[in-house]
Amino acid sequence: MPAIESVLHERRVFPPSAAASANAAIFGMDAYRALVAEAERDYEGFWARLARETLEWRKPFSSVLDASDAPFYKWFADGELNVSYNCLDRQVQNGNAEKTAIIFEADDGAVTTVTYRELLQRVCEFANALRSRGVKKGERIVIYMPMSIEGIVAMQACARIGATHSVVFGGFSAKSLNERIADASAVAVITADEQMRGGRAIPLKNIADEALAMGGCDTVKDVIVYRRSGGKVAWNEARDLWWHELTENQPGTCEPEWVGAEHPLYILYTSGSTGKPKGVQHSSGGYLLWAALTMKWVFDLKPKDVFWCTADIGWVTGHTYIAYGPTAVGATQIMFEGTPTYPHAGRFWEMIGRHGVTVFYTAPTAIRSLIKLSAAEPRVQPKRFDLSSLRIIGTVGEPINPEAWIWYYENVGGGRCPVVDTWWQTETGGQMISPLPGATPLVPGSCTLPLPGIMATVVDDAGAEVPPGEGGMLVVKKPWPAMLRTIWGDPERFKRTYFPAELGGQVYLAGDGAVRDKDTGYFTIVGRIDDVLNVSGHRLGTMEIESALVANPDVAEAAAVGRPDETTGEAVVAFVVLKRKRPEGDEATQIADELRAWVAKEIGPFAKPKEIRFGENLPKTRSGKIMRRLLRSLAKGEAITQDVSTLENAAILDQLGESR
Ligand code: WTA
């Protein structure tokens, strides 16, 4: 766990600005406390009220929380609804039909927009197309798509017919895609010919072909291909279908499949502490409730806002704050295909000005890299662009260091926009701990206080709450509607991972370390407590990287650890023992490059170790366990303070300590 002192040195407090708090959904700390008190007084009543006010139910629920099979909690279980109906039909019926739903800006700057009426029509056409292919309620569909309006259409169309989608980030390799398709037993894969990012084309269809050829994907009957670039693709007549041909003659209306609130809306794979990614399964009713509510509470979304979340639909942030949350509240949102540095590192700021973005949500990594780039190149500094439309700015995915927070607040927010530093996870479905822009005094580096209804606290190894000021494990004491329901196909792992017996089996274990401030009770997240790394806001299991490395025929053994990195938050350092002689000099550099490329092929380019060091051996305890703490110290270049008397070959410390 990183030292707590290092993240708590920023003590300045920034009160909510008058501009931000005027008409805020939750205005002032008294309003916040009143909601917190309501949830404490009558937990189920609180959630039932919000679920009735926020969503439209086909069949009203009578049961609120069903804990009879804990920790497999159910929410609003006898209620029925449809997620896509709640997001789209409701907008069309409520006077938002001609409102712009999505402003899509392509990598090359071309802009396309759709209204809510058009979006609904396209979702219906595609939903009908899926039905025409025989897709049924509850079947799984893997979506391997670029950032595109069609990506949202595909997700919402699945929701419309009750199919469970599993979106796989376009940066994942064929092998990772294969594992996810096989684990979900998907009946169809939706992809595109190519994905355009930073002026480069990534051949998604070819990668999907490769994934399907790897075996274990016999359940897949159709591959539906959206033509994005017109790039050349191989074609399998028996299996492949063009999106535009399939939807051509489909009716523009489609009766939704009414599903129970617990019906699995999606599965999203994420990294855990073993090699195999976990299929986090989310519900329909509870999930959508929280997606919509947090849009209103945390982003204070109003009808005239222009919302922009820069995440990819392949990650949970893109599910909750692109595909579902914004549409559920009838927002106009920006969707961006490209990267923040193409064609120049002022692209984000330029786009905020061009589209009049009012609420902006991005990752600390992006902020840190843009700080660096704009220091080198004044032309791309935020002050060169018109950012006056902004009123709220947010971050997600990793801790934001106070320096980056202050830069963001001053340079992007112009000192007038509250920064909502939102803590949450794939598993939580939506934001959990976050400032409210019209209420919470901000402290840089702290995600401040749990949202109303979220019973977060910090406990020790035995599950006892620790006093403020002391570090411990972040837990949530009560189930909440948007929580994951299980791990797809592995309920035992769900129980063991999130409701461990060591903590009494009752509380949700987040996997993060946290500390609360003595005076304010504010939470600061101090990093993961398990073997999960956070590189540029992407979750990576050290075991995943190790399995990828040892799958290489030249590698005998490997251990991966994280090291703090100025830009990416954490960076992966891998220690490798080859089956042949330990390489040195140029040979070592060359093999390290080959292994980095290997990891990119096994998992995806974002998982490449920043550094690879070779040893004749790895440091192990007498019982043969790899001494990871020691490796972490070596990766950081720290002096070794651990007891190394049990090491058989102490010379390897010199070998592994050498940074090349
Ligand atoms: C980290 C992303 C500090 C944390 C939504 C968590 C954060 C993991 C924050 C989940 C934050 C996310 N401050 N750390 N504001 N937000 N994290 O599943 O370690 O991709 O457990 O979900 O990111 O990552 P995931």
Side-chain angles (χ1 to χ4, degrees), residues 396-399 421-426 512 525 528 534 539:
V396 59
E398 45 177 330
D421 170 0
T422 62
W423 176 85
W424 61 293
Q425 312 175 291
T426 304
D512 279 310
I525 308 296
R528 299 285 307 190
N534 193 324
R539 259 169 83 166

Side-chain angles (χ1 to χ4, degrees), residues 578-648:
L578 293 182
K579 287 180 185 159
R580 52 186 142 116
K581 196 170 156 290
R582 172 176 180 260
E584 287 183 75
D586 289 348
E587 194 197 356
T589 310
Q590 189 203 323
I591 299 177
D593 285 346
E594 283 167 22
L595 289 178
R596 285 159 40 80
W598 174 271
V599 173
K601 218 173 111 301
E602 288 282 302
I603 305 175
F606 61 92
K608 278 194 219 171
K610 178 147 190 191
E611 201 185 320
I612 295 186
R613 299 184 192 176
F614 297 99
E616 280 159 14
N617 214 327
L618 294 177
K620 291 192 187 141
T621 61
R622 229 178 273 261
S623 59
K625 267 185 80 160
I626 294 176
M627 299 169 78
R628 288 177 177 281
R629 279 220 293 178
L630 184 65
L631 290 177
R632 278 196 282 270
S633 300
L634 288 171
K636 281 193 236 168
E638 281 174 1
I640 302 299
T641 52
Q642 290 95 334
D643 177 14
V644 292
S645 56
T646 56
L647 272 186
E648 278 168 35

Side-chain angles (χ1 to χ4, degrees), residues 254-297:
C254 172
E255 176 64 15
E257 180 84 38
W258 305 105
V259 300
E262 282 296 306
H263 183 70
L265 176 64
Y266 67 86
I267 303 165
L268 183 58
Y269 287 86
T270 188
S271 297
S273 32
T274 73
K276 195 172 176 285
K278 304 179 277 200
V280 168
Q281 180 182 317
H282 277 291
S283 69
S284 297
Y287 172 79
L288 190 66
L289 167 63
W290 201 224
L293 266 182
T294 49
M295 282 299 297
K296 293 183 187 170
W297 287 356

Side-chain angles (χ1 to χ4, degrees), residues 270 315-317 361 364 395-400 420-428 433 445 447 510-512 524-528 532 534 537-539:
T270 188
W315 307 115
V316 74
T317 307
Y361 193 38
T395 67
V396 59
E398 45 177 330
I400 178 161
V420 288
D421 170 0
T422 62
W423 176 85
W424 61 293
Q425 312 175 291
T426 304
E427 293 87 340
T428 68
I433 307 181
C447 50
D512 279 310
T524 292
I525 308 296
V526 294
R528 299 285 307 190
V532 172
N534 193 324
H538 299 329
R539 259 169 83 166

Side-chain angles (χ1 to χ4, degrees), residues 103-172:
I103 302 171
F104 175 76
E105 183 163 317
D107 194 44
D108 65 5
V111 173
T112 321
T113 63
V114 284
T115 62
Y116 272 99
R117 187 179 48 73
E118 290 163 338
L119 186 60
L120 172 61
Q121 184 184 331
R122 288 169 68 170
V123 167
C124 286
E125 286 166 1
F126 195 66
N128 285 324
L130 292 175
R131 272 196 184 142
S132 78
R133 298 302 305 165
V135 177
K136 295 194 185 55
K137 175 181 169 188
E139 290 185 323
R140 275 81 51 212
I141 293 189
V142 163
I143 298 177
Y144 186 59
M145 291 278 274
M147 287 294 284
S148 54
I149 293 172
E150 285 71 13
I152 296 185
V153 169
M155 293 164 81
Q156 288 274 356
C158 288
R160 192 153 195 99
I161 64 168
T164 299
H165 62 68
S166 183
V167 185
V168 178
F169 172 56
F172 273 114

Side-chain angles (χ1 to χ4, degrees), residues 11 51 83 94 122 145 222 278 284 301 316 319 329 346 362 366 370 379 398 400 407 436 478 484 521 555 576 640:
R11 303 292 306 174
V83 167
N94 296 345
R122 288 169 68 170
M145 291 278 274
D222 292 338
K278 304 179 277 200
S284 297
L301 211 94
V316 74
H319 282 60
V329 300
T362 196
L370 296 177
R379 193 169 64 89
E398 45 177 330
I400 178 161
W407 184 91
L436 296 166
K478 276 186 187 231
L484 79 165
V555 174
V576 170
I640 302 299

